[in-house]
Each structure stands twice: as structure tokens, then as C-alpha cells.
Amino acid sequence: MYRIGKKEVEAVERVLCSGKVFRYGVGGECTRFERRYGKYVGVEHVLMTSSGTTALTAAMVGLGIGPGDEVLVPACTYIASAIAIVAAGAIPVIIDVDESITIDPAAIDAAVGPRTKAVMPVHMWGLPCDMDRIMAVANKHGLLVIEDACQCVGGGYKGRKVGSIGHAAGFSFNFFKNMTCGEGGAAVTNDGSAVARMGCMTDCCKFYWTDRETDESLFSSNGSRASEIEGAILNCQLDRIDGMIHRMRKMKKRVLKETADSGIVPIKANSLDDECGTHVMFVLPTQEQATAFRDLSGCGIAGQTGRHVYTEWDPIFAHSGAPHPALNPFKIKENSECRMDYRKDMCAKSLDILNRTAMFGLHPDRKRNDVTKLIRTINKAAKAVL
Ligand SMILES: Cc1ncc(COP(=O)(O)O)c(C=O)c1O
């Protein structure tokens, strides 16, 4: 959904010409972005990373999640959510989504077992999860909450930005996201006690370049440090995000209003005024009707994108969690009591909902006429299939 323009080009040129592309000592763009993004999201600590996946893993390691722990993850998300859990040494337990196509708070309540330490609500396709109910269930069971906000940069829930509600969160700034610097991410938290471990995951060699006293290296890990080029681009992207989201939300509300009499039902919204507005979605009564609606309207089907449903998580189903068996969280004895019996039909309710959910992508540059045409198409297709 992102926009990149002259401002980003000039910012990159400035950084390149300065010869200061390394973030420590001489730079300033990454530090500035971390400070500004923290204010924007409403969190105290932001650590830039090389990707959303590394951000999520760092967030979990920061909170002390690892071998011996299960993390509940929704049936509808990109595989990276589950992979980030495995990369922290823990085991993903897959649970249902509800009609909002985000994690079902009732399913969290029902799935908690003796090994469950955390839950990862995923704000999919710019749609915030039902965070009030999720936090209530998490508090009831003493679970940690790691928000996967990778697809919801700039989105919120009831007046707060996503990423600021759970104990920690991960954002992605890859090519497909609302803000991008090509590849990148950010781990965020308000938990000061998690920051040193999070920092060690994002750059375990940081202490060489900063203050050796405060930035001690706690353990060895992979590096996922960001560069000043990424920081410079993201500082420009942050200036654009609210305007873009405002336009998409307005567009979405217009589509919903002008299709309200068609009989087609929008998916349940957890916080319509705060979501990103990147997609308009409708739930059809049957899969056959959803297919017919797709054929007539050209929409996508949430369950059939080829990469957002648990049935497509091949390495997870294969228990292939590391390059060597001794490092594989699915094989180590600490995880022997964790639930890892994955079956393709284990979340049949989610598959049914996702295969009945029609989706249309929006973009801030869509012209008014184009949206009018989209509304006409939806109304016509709905009349034909309902
Ligand atoms: C829901 C979700 N989580 C995590 C990620 C991982 O982000 P990245 O590709 O930056 O590692 C993505 C990326 O597409 C995603 O969509």
C-alpha cells in the first residue's frame, strides 16, 4: 500500500553522500526513526530490525519466551508469525479465527494448556484484533501478548495504535506493507526489562559500537541491524502514513455505505474507525456463493491467497524448525510436552470462514471514479449470487 517519492530519494541521496550509512556513532536516521515511531505507536522502546520476522522473534526472546513454551497463533496469518515463534525456540499452537478473520478470543480461552506462555494476535490485512477481549483472556490465564502488527502499520484499536496494547509487538516494513524501506522491521515494547534481551537479538555485537557498560552482550545471536539508508527512508514514510490511511479509511467507509443495501455482509469489524482501510471484505453465506461472487467481481478469497492459511505452513507441518536436529525446537526435550500434532483440518471453522470471505484491496491513489466502479461491481455481483 506504500507510496515512495522524491522525499525518500533525496533522503537516501543525503545519507549516501554523507558517507555515514552505519547507524552507530556517526549516524542519526535510525535513532531518530526509533524515537519518532515510539511516539507514534505509543511505546517507550523501539528497536529497528532487518525484518518483521526478526522483530517478532526479538520481542518474544525479550519477554523470556523460549524452549518449553507454547505460543497460540491464529489459523490465518503469513507463515512468518509461526516461524518467528519457532526461531525463539518455542512451539506454535494453531487456533481458530472468528468472523473478523482475526484470532478468536474464545479460542484462546479454550486452547490454554499447561505449557502455554503467550498468545500472538495478528492484525491481518490492516484489521485490528479484538484486543479488549484478548487482553482479558490473557490476564485471566497469565499469558504474555505479542502483537504481530506487521500488516497493520499505522492501524489502531479503539483509539490506541496496534503494537502498544500487548506486552510487545513486531512490525514489518517490507515491500508489501503500509510503510516500507524495501525490507525492515521494528520490535517494540513498554517493558524496560525486556529491552536488553531484545537488543541482543537484533544486534548482539552492539556493545562494540555503543556504551560497553550498558549495552552488554548477553548471548550470541544472529544480527539483524538496520542501516541509515533504511532509517532515512522510514523517516519520510512516517510523514506519509497518516494521510494514506485517512484516505483508505474514507474510501472503505464509502464502499461499505454504498453497498449496504446489496444484501452482502461486511466481515465483523473490531474497530472500524481505527483500522488501516487497506481491504474491504465481505462474508458470503456459502463457499459456492463466494466462488461465484469472485468470478463476477474479480475479488480475492481470504482462504485462497496461497500463503495466509495454516494449511500452507509446510516447514511447521514437517516439524522442520532449524538447520540441525539438535537445534530444532520440535525435537528438543524441553518441548516434548508441547502440543505439535498439526492436522490440515484442525481449524475447520477458520477454513470455512476464510473460504467464504471475499476481499478487495484499496490504495490511497485510487481515484473516485475507480471506487464508484468498484461499488457498482460489488452491488451487481451481490445481486447475482444472493
Ligand atoms: C502477518 C505477518 N507477520 C510477519 C511477517 C514477516 O515480516 P517480514 O517479511 O518483514 O519478515 C509478515 C510479512 O509479510 C506478515 O504478513
Side-chain angles (χ1 to χ4, degrees):
M1 296 307 143
Y2 71 90
R3 276 178 177 153
I4 283 203
K6 207 159 169 240
K7 288 230 164 79
E8 283 81 354
V9 174
E10 285 168 0
V12 170
E13 187 177 9
R14 224 170 24 244
V15 169
L16 288 176
C17 291
S18 76
K20 298 168 180 173
V21 294
F22 186 53
R23 70 160 294 172
Y24 299 129
V26 288
E29 293 284 357
C30 290
T31 307
R32 181 164 165 258
F33 176 73
E34 287 174 343
R35 203 175 48 240
R36 293 180 68 212
Y37 199 61
K39 257 194 176 166
Y40 180 75
V41 173
V43 287
E44 265 179 59
H45 309 281
V46 176
L47 297 174
M48 283 180 69
T49 67
S50 58
S51 72
T53 313
T54 51
L56 287 167
T57 303
M60 282 181 280
V61 171
L63 294 173
I65 295 163
D69 300 330
E70 292 172 351
V71 181
L72 307 179
V73 66
C76 176
T77 179
Y78 186 54
I79 186 175
S81 312
I83 283 179
I85 295 167
V86 177
I91 297 296
V93 170
I94 306 167
I95 66 170
D96 271 319
V97 294
D98 63 19
E99 289 73 13
S100 70
I101 70 160
T102 60
I103 198 164
D104 181 353
I108 300 174
D109 198 30
V112 174
R115 287 275 158 198
T116 313
K117 176 124 174 210
V119 57
M120 181 184 282
V122 183
H123 308 295
M124 277 301 282
W125 286 305
L127 305 164
C129 300
D130 190 349
M131 291 309 292
D132 282 348
R133 287 179 64 208
I134 291 168
M135 293 311 287
V137 179
N139 287 337
K140 173 178 156 192
H141 295 286
L143 302 181
L144 292 164
V145 177
I146 300 94
E147 294 176 71
D148 180 338
C150 289
Q151 293 201 8
C152 202
V153 178
Y157 173 82
K158 297 188 181 173
R160 294 168 73 183
K161 284 278 186 299
V162 296
S164 67
I165 304 164
H167 298 89
F171 289 90
S172 169
F173 305 126
N174 79 21
F175 173 75
F176 302 99
K177 302 301 187 275
N178 297 342
M179 267 174 34
T180 191
C181 56
E183 297 284 358
V188 309
T189 187
N190 278 314
D191 182 348
S193 68
V195 177
R197 286 172 63 81
M198 270 166 67
C200 209
M201 284 301 283
T202 54
D203 185 358
C204 62
C205 311
K206 183 179 169 196
F207 69 106
Y208 284 129
W209 306 101
T210 53
D211 176 358
R212 249 187 138 115
E213 295 287 306
T214 55
D215 285 319
E216 57 184 326
S217 186
L218 304 170
F219 46 77
S220 306
S221 77
N222 268 327
S224 67
R225 190 174 53 225
S227 82
E228 286 293 277
I229 297 172
E230 289 153 333
I233 298 174
L234 288 175
N235 274 314
C236 301
Q237 292 276 288
L238 190 52
D239 294 335
R240 296 184 188 275
I241 186 88
D242 278 344
M244 286 175 45
I245 287 184
H246 177 74
R247 276 184 66 83
M248 287 189 290
R249 263 188 212 143
K250 230 173 109 185
M251 233 177 248
K252 175 165 180 171
K253 285 190 176 171
R254 180 180 164 216
V255 174
L256 292 178
K257 189 168 165 222
E258 295 184 28
T259 56
D261 294 333
S262 67
I264 194 167
V265 180
I267 62 162
K268 187 177 107 189
N270 290 320
S271 194
L272 189 61
D273 290 337
D274 302 86
E275 63 176 57
C276 298
T278 49
H279 292 83
V280 189
M281 301 199 194
F282 301 95
V283 62
L284 279 293
T286 66
Q287 288 187 28
E288 291 69 29
Q289 283 166 307
T291 305
F293 183 77
R294 179 198 61 197
D295 293 345
L296 290 169
S297 69
C299 70
I301 299 288
Q304 292 163 26
T305 66
R307 58 179 190 281
H308 295 106
V309 183
Y310 72 98
T311 49
E312 289 144 345
W313 300 352
D314 297 351
I316 303 295
F317 272 78
H319 287 179
S320 178
H324 190 284
L327 294 170
N328 186 349
F330 291 110
K331 307 287 179 202
I332 60 176
K333 74 171 182 339
E334 286 83 351
N335 285 334
S336 59
E337 288 169 21
C338 294
R339 292 165 290 176
M340 53 180 88
D341 177 22
Y342 305 114
R343 284 169 290 105
K344 298 274 173 169
D345 62 353
M346 65 193 295
C347 292
K349 178 186 151 197
S350 302
L351 297 180
D352 176 54
I353 293 169
L354 295 166
N355 284 321
R356 289 189 291 113
T357 301
M359 54 197 272
F360 297 91
L362 296 180
H363 191 282
D365 293 342
R366 265 201 188 216
K367 298 275 179 294
R368 192 171 166 80
N369 269 353
D370 197 26
V371 178
T372 306
K373 265 192 223 152
L374 174 66
I375 292 166
R376 226 178 276 140
T377 303
I378 294 170
N379 284 331
K380 202 168 155 201
K383 198 168 170 197
V385 303
L386 291 176

